[in-house]
């Protein structure tokens, strides 16, 4: 390559985004620091059909209802950090504090590059990982959210 004397800028669209810089906002609960997010997936059920007088001896396949998986969030346990426990404590029979949740993948300037928005999310399960007397790891808790859909925006 010949150097024409001008500074060449690198095209940022050529590189994939790193997965380690993200933020999670749980509606009115607020922004909470999590170390891991998983379960951002959408799937369509398959509908198969074949008419009895069809000349093809194969079934037609078409998309049916959309399914979304539960979202799993993991974080360290901090002193005086009880926001998640208060939220899950509000879940009673038919009384659920549903929240719109946003999960944003951030660039190096801390701006959201891609955002996954969960509709009507609620805490389905919270688990505290076990403790070990001879361990050297951070105490962790896992929150599983049920929700009614994911929208992706850039």
């Amino acid at each position: 390559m010949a150097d024409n004397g001008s500074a060449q800028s690198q095209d940022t669209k050529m590189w994939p985004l790193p997965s380690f810089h993200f933020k999670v906002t749980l509606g009115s609960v607020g922004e909470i620091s999590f170390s891991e997010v998983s379960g951002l997936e959408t799937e369509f059920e398959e509908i198969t059909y074949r008419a009895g007088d069809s000349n093809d001896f194969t079934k037609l396949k078409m998309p049916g209802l959309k399914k979304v998986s539960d979202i799993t969030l993991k974080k360290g346990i901090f002193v005086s950090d009880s926001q998640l426990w208060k939220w899950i404590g509000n879940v009673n029979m038919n009384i659920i504090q549903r929240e719109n949740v946003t999960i944003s993948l951030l660039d190096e300037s801390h701006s959201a590059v891609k955002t996954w928005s969960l509709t009507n999310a609620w805490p389905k399960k919270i688990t505290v990982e076990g403790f070990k007397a001879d361990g050297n790891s951070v105490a962790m808790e896992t929150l599983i959210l049920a929700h009614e859909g994911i929208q992706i925006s850039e």
Side-chain angles (χ1 to χ4, degrees):
M1 288 177 97
D3 184 14
N4 61 6
S6 64
Q8 299 220 356
S9 63
Q10 187 169 339
D11 186 5
T12 57
K13 294 180 181 180
M14 293 294 293
W15 302 102
L17 295 166
S19 64
F20 60 80
H21 193 41
F22 61 92
K23 72 176 179 179
V24 179
T25 305
L26 301 173
S28 67
V29 177
E31 191 173 306
I32 297 180
S33 296
F34 288 96
S35 62
E36 187 177 327
V37 175
S38 61
L40 291 168
E41 59 183 70
T42 300
E43 177 182 354
F44 290 91
E45 293 179 355
E46 181 181 288
I47 298 172
T48 57
Y49 176 78
R50 182 181 179 278
D53 60 352
S54 174
N55 292 332
D56 293 331
F57 294 112
T58 60
K59 296 177 184 178
L60 297 173
K61 294 183 179 182
M62 53 197 138
L65 296 175
K66 184 169 39 170
K67 296 189 306 186
V68 291
S69 65
D70 292 341
I71 304 298
T72 302
L73 305 166
K74 293 185 179 186
K75 66 181 272 319
I77 298 173
F78 294 89
V79 176
S80 301
D81 180 17
S82 59
Q83 293 171 297
L84 296 181
W85 288 96
K86 286 179 185 173
W87 186 30
I88 203 164
N90 291 334
V91 176
N92 292 314
M93 181 85 68
N94 293 326
I95 302 170
I96 302 169
Q97 180 184 341
R98 295 175 184 264
E99 298 287 355
N100 291 324
V101 175
T102 58
I103 301 164
S104 300
L105 193 56
L106 308 175
D107 63 12
E108 55 277 347
S109 65
H110 311 294
S111 299
V113 179
K114 284 219 183 268
T115 300
W116 292 262
S117 299
L118 311 179
T119 306
N120 291 329
W122 54 276
K124 179 177 173 180
K125 180 179 181 181
I126 191 164
T127 305
V128 175
E129 293 183 14
F131 306 122
K132 290 184 183 178
D134 63 346
N136 193 21
S137 60
V138 173
M140 298 288 288
E141 58 190 0
T142 302
L143 175 68
I144 298 179
L145 297 178
H147 62 96
E148 296 174 357
I150 301 174
Q151 276 77 42
I152 301 172
S153 60
E154 295 183 18

